[in-house]
Amino acid sequence: MTASSQAPEARLSEAKGFRWKLIAPLVVWLAIYLWPVPAGLNVNQWHYFAVFAAVITGLILESMPVGAVGLIGLTVAGTSGYIDPDPNKSLRWMLAGFAESTVWLIVGAFVFSIGYRKSRLGRRIALVLVRRLGTNTLGLGYAVAMSDFLLAPATPSNTARSGGIVYPIISNIPRIYGSEPGPTAGKIGTYVMWTAFAATAITSSLFFTALAPNAAALAIAKKTVGVEVSWAQWFMGFAPLGLLLMILVPLLSYLICRPEVKRSPEISDWAANELGEMGPMSRNEWIMLALIVLAMFLWIVGSSPDIHIPLLGSNFVNATTVVFIVISLMLVTGVIEFADIVSEKSAWEVFFYFTSLLTLASGLNEIGFIKWLANEFAKPLAGLSPSTAMILLVALFFWIHYFFSSITSHAAAVLPVVLAVGSGIPDLPVTTLAMLCMYSLGLMGVISPYATGPAPMYYGSGYIGKGQFWGFGLIFGLLYFAGLLLVVLPWLTMVR
C-alpha cells in the first residue's frame, strides 16, 4: 500500500477517534440525566451533576482542548439555571471564578516563567543544578524535591512555592537534555515535572505552614470537636510518612515515568562550558533574582498579620497581590514586555480551564450535592466498628476531592460533616480522625489536574501527557492514602 493511500485511512481513523471522544461525554451526560433522581436530591442538583460528570469525562478523554471543555460545561450549567434561575445571578456565578485569586496566582506563575526565561536566570540556575547533579537523573529528581522541601515551611501557598518558584526554574532543565513538550517529553521532562508536583503534595501536608487550607481545617476541627495542635505537633504527627515519602517519591517517579536519559556523564562538563559562555550575570538576571527574593519575602512575612510591611499600607499582603506587584516591577524594569504576557498561550489556556473547573466544582457544593453525598456515605457507618468507620470516613474525605478544584472549599464543605459523623460513633477516636483528614489536604492534591493550585501548571506544561497525569495521579493517590492508613494511623494511635 502506498503512502498516498495510507494517508486518507490515517485521517479517517483519526476522525473516528475524535468523534468517539466527542460523543463519550454526551453519553455520560445523557445517562446520568435520564437516570432517576436519587432520594434526597432535586432535579436541578442531579442534572447539574450530569454536566459536571460530562466535563470530567471530556477532560480525561481530551475530547477538545481542556479550556474549551471547561468553558462549554460552564456555559451549559449557567444557561440551564441549575445554580440560580435568575439569568443575571446565574451569569454572576459563571463569572465568579475569573475573579478567584488562586486563578490569577497560577497565571502569575506562568508570567514568572517568562521572566526567568527572558532574563536567562532560569537557564543559569538550571545549568548550575545540572552541573552538580546532572550526571545522574535520579539525583536530579532528589534535587528538585529537596527544593520544594526547603521552601515549604515558610511559604504558605503551594501555588506560590511550586508554581511561582520551583516550576519556572525546573522548566528550563529538560530543554538542556533536548527534552521538549510533546514527543521528546519522556526523555527527562516528564520525570522532572512529575517529581516536582508529587513532592509539593507531600510538603503541603508535612508542614502546617506549607498550605493555607491547613489553618482553615484546624480552625474547623477546633470548633467542631475541640482538636488543637501546635506547629511542632503537626510536623511530628506526619513526619514518619512525610519524610519517608520525600525519600521514596523521586525513586518511584523514576520507576513509573521511566526517563530515557538515565545517566549522562558528559552533560556536567557541557553545563559547565555553557555557564562559562554565559559569563557573569546580566542586569536583567540580577533584577529578576532581586524580584524573586522580594516575592519570597512578601509571601513569607506578608502572610502574618503581626508583621508590619513598610510602604504597603497594611500588615497583610495576599499571595496573589505579591504576584501583581512583582509582575508590575518586571514590566517597569524591562525584564519582560506586556506582549510577552499576552502571547503566553499556555497561561491563558490554563486560565480558562482552571477557572471553569473551579466554578463548576464550587457549584456542586453550593447546590448541596457534596453534603448529600457525604451524608449518604456516612449513613451505613453507624453499625460498624470504630476503626472500620474511621477508615471509611477518611476514604470519603480523601477521594471525594475528585469533585473539588479547591482544597479550601473541600475542607469547609466536607470536614465538618465527616467530624460530626465520627463524633457520633461510640469509641471512635475523633482526634485521630481529624488529624488524618487534615493530613490528607496536601496529599489529595496529587490526584487530578485540578486538585490543587500548582496542578494546572504541570498539567499544561506539555511534559506530562493528559492521560498520564490522571494515571500518575491515581497511582500516587493510592500510595499516599495507603501511607495515611499504614503509617500515620498506627503512629498517631501510639503517640496519642
Side-chain angles (χ1 to χ4, degrees), residues 291-333:
L291 292 177
I292 293 304
V293 171
L294 173 64
M296 292 175 63
F297 171 77
L298 292 176
W299 279 330
I300 294 168
V301 304
S303 61
S304 173
D306 301 322
I307 302 176
H308 178 69
I309 304 174
L311 303 179
L312 294 181
S314 69
N315 289 357
F316 176 79
V317 183
N318 185 279
T320 306
T321 304
V322 173
V323 167
F324 278 105
I325 292 171
V326 173
I327 290 176
S328 298
L329 291 173
M330 289 166 67
L331 290 167
V332 169
T333 56

Side-chain angles (χ1 to χ4, degrees), residues 172-197:
N172 291 272
I173 293 177
R175 291 182 170 88
I176 293 173
Y177 293 83
S179 182
E180 299 281 347
T184 60
K187 290 182 70 174
I188 196 172
T190 303
Y191 170 67
V192 170
M193 290 296 177
W194 183 260
T195 300
F197 178 61

Side-chain angles (χ1 to χ4, degrees), residues 102-154:
T102 302
V103 174
W104 287 102
L105 190 60
I106 293 169
V107 173
F110 275 100
V111 178
F112 278 22
S113 295
I114 301 173
Y116 274 104
R117 188 168 64 244
K118 286 200 70 177
S119 69
R120 305 191 77 194
L121 177 64
R123 177 174 172 79
R124 183 181 295 276
I125 295 173
L127 285 170
V128 170
L129 284 172
V130 169
R131 184 183 65 180
R132 296 183 180 277
L133 300 161
T135 57
N136 187 304
T137 301
L138 184 58
L140 198 58
Y142 277 100
V144 168
M146 188 55 61
S147 300
D148 194 289
F149 179 85
L150 294 174
L151 293 168

Side-chain angles (χ1 to χ4, degrees), residues 106-370:
I106 293 169
V107 173
F110 275 100
V111 178
F112 278 22
S113 295
I114 301 173
Y116 274 104
R117 188 168 64 244
K118 286 200 70 177
S119 69
R120 305 191 77 194
L121 177 64
R123 177 174 172 79
R124 183 181 295 276
I125 295 173
L127 285 170
V128 170
L129 284 172
V130 169
R131 184 183 65 180
R132 296 183 180 277
L133 300 161
T135 57
N136 187 304
T137 301
L138 184 58
L140 198 58
Y142 277 100
V144 168
M146 188 55 61
S147 300
D148 194 289
F149 179 85
L150 294 174
L151 293 168
T155 315
S157 167
N158 65 351
T159 307
R161 177 175 72 254
S162 188
I165 301 173
V166 176
Y167 174 85
I169 293 174
I170 67 169
S171 62
N172 291 272
I173 293 177
R175 291 182 170 88
I176 293 173
Y177 293 83
S179 182
E180 299 281 347
T184 60
K187 290 182 70 174
I188 196 172
T190 303
Y191 170 67
V192 170
M193 290 296 177
W194 183 260
T195 300
F197 178 61
T200 204
I202 301 166
T203 59
S204 294
S205 286
L206 182 59
F207 302 104
F208 176 70
T209 49
L211 185 71
N214 288 344
L218 184 57
I220 292 171
K222 181 180 179 181
K223 181 179 179 181
T224 308
V225 291
V227 174
E228 190 169 6
V229 294
S230 66
W231 191 99
Q233 288 172 324
W234 179 288
F235 175 81
M236 290 303 298
F238 191 74
L241 176 62
L243 297 179
L244 177 63
L245 288 176
M246 289 302 297
I247 295 171
L248 291 179
V249 158
L251 176 60
L252 291 172
S253 298
Y254 187 86
L255 296 174
I256 292 171
C257 298
R258 298 179 182 178
E260 297 170 21
V261 177
K262 303 284 192 302
R263 291 186 61 84
S264 184
E266 71 281 359
I267 200 74
S268 182
D269 294 333
W270 174 85
N273 292 333
E274 289 292 305
L275 282 169
E277 290 182 10
M278 287 186 73
M281 286 181 60
S282 65
R283 166 191 174 273
N284 279 3
E285 284 183 271
W286 281 112
I287 293 174
M288 188 66 198
L289 179 60
L291 292 177
I292 293 304
V293 171
L294 173 64
M296 292 175 63
F297 171 77
L298 292 176
W299 279 330
I300 294 168
V301 304
S303 61
S304 173
D306 301 322
I307 302 176
H308 178 69
I309 304 174
L311 303 179
L312 294 181
S314 69
N315 289 357
F316 176 79
V317 183
N318 185 279
T320 306
T321 304
V322 173
V323 167
F324 278 105
I325 292 171
V326 173
I327 290 176
S328 298
L329 291 173
M330 289 166 67
L331 290 167
V332 169
T333 56
V335 173
I336 64 171
E337 299 175 358
F338 189 70
D340 297 322
I341 301 175
V342 174
S343 63
E344 187 67 12
K345 180 183 175 184
S346 56
W348 300 114
E349 285 180 343
V350 167
F351 175 75
F352 280 100
Y353 148 72
F354 191 62
T355 296
S356 303
L357 261 293
L358 185 69
T359 307
L360 285 169
S362 67
L364 284 173
N365 187 40
E366 289 180 39
I367 63 175
F369 182 88
I370 297 297

Side-chain angles (χ1 to χ4, degrees), residues 12-78:
L12 180 61
S13 176
E14 184 178 340
K16 287 181 178 178
F18 175 77
R19 284 199 298 270
W20 174 81
K21 291 181 179 181
L22 198 62
I23 292 171
L26 298 176
V27 172
V28 170
W29 168 79
L30 186 62
I32 297 175
Y33 188 92
L34 296 177
W35 194 268
V37 179
L41 289 179
N42 58 42
V43 173
N44 261 17
Q45 291 169 321
W46 187 240
H47 289 176
Y48 181 90
F49 172 66
V51 173
F52 183 83
V55 169
I56 297 302
T57 304
L59 292 175
I60 294 173
L61 298 178
E62 299 179 68
S63 303
M64 300 176 70
V66 291
V69 173
L71 193 61
I72 291 169
L74 184 63
T75 303
V76 171

